[in-house]
Amino acid sequence: MISPASHEERTRLRAIAERQLTAAEFNAYVDAPMSDEEREAILENIAWFTRRYPTAGERLRWCRRVMTHGVLPRG
C-alpha cells in the first residue's frame, strides 16, 4: 500500500509543478527528439480517439464537454 505524501513532499512537488521554465529550458524540452516509444504512444492514442469519435461532430462535442467540465474523462 502506498502511504500519502508528507507535507514536505507535497510542498516540493507543488514547487516543481508550478516552476516557470526559462525560454532556454522550454526550447531544450520541445526541441528534443521524440523517441520511437513516444511516437508509438501518440499514434495509438490518435487511432483510439478517431475510432471512439469517428466524425468531426463527435470530436467537437467531446472537446466542448471537456472544456465545459474542465476535466478529461477516464477510460
Side-chain angles (χ1 to χ4, degrees), residues 2-59:
I2 299 174
S3 60
S6 69
H7 174 73
E8 293 80 17
E9 291 167 326
R10 288 191 310 273
T11 301
R12 183 170 175 266
L13 290 171
R14 187 174 294 111
I16 291 169
E18 294 175 354
R19 184 174 77 85
Q20 299 263 332
L21 296 178
T22 66
E25 289 171 319
F26 176 79
N27 288 333
Y29 178 77
V30 298
D31 291 339
M34 185 182 302
S35 71
D36 291 339
E37 292 82 15
E38 287 175 304
R39 184 174 291 103
E40 260 181 58
I42 290 168
L43 293 175
E44 285 174 13
N45 284 330
I46 292 169
W48 174 86
F49 188 78
T50 54
R51 281 192 311 273
R52 174 66 177 87
Y53 304 100
T55 68
E58 290 172 304
R59 294 173 196 156

Side-chain angles (χ1 to χ4, degrees), residues 48-50 52-53 55-73:
W48 174 86
F49 188 78
T50 54
R52 174 66 177 87
Y53 304 100
T55 68
E58 290 172 304
R59 294 173 196 156
L60 287 171
R61 279 190 294 281
W62 178 86
C63 291
R64 287 184 186 117
R65 270 195 316 270
V66 170
M67 291 174 67
T68 299
H69 301 290
V71 294
L72 290 173

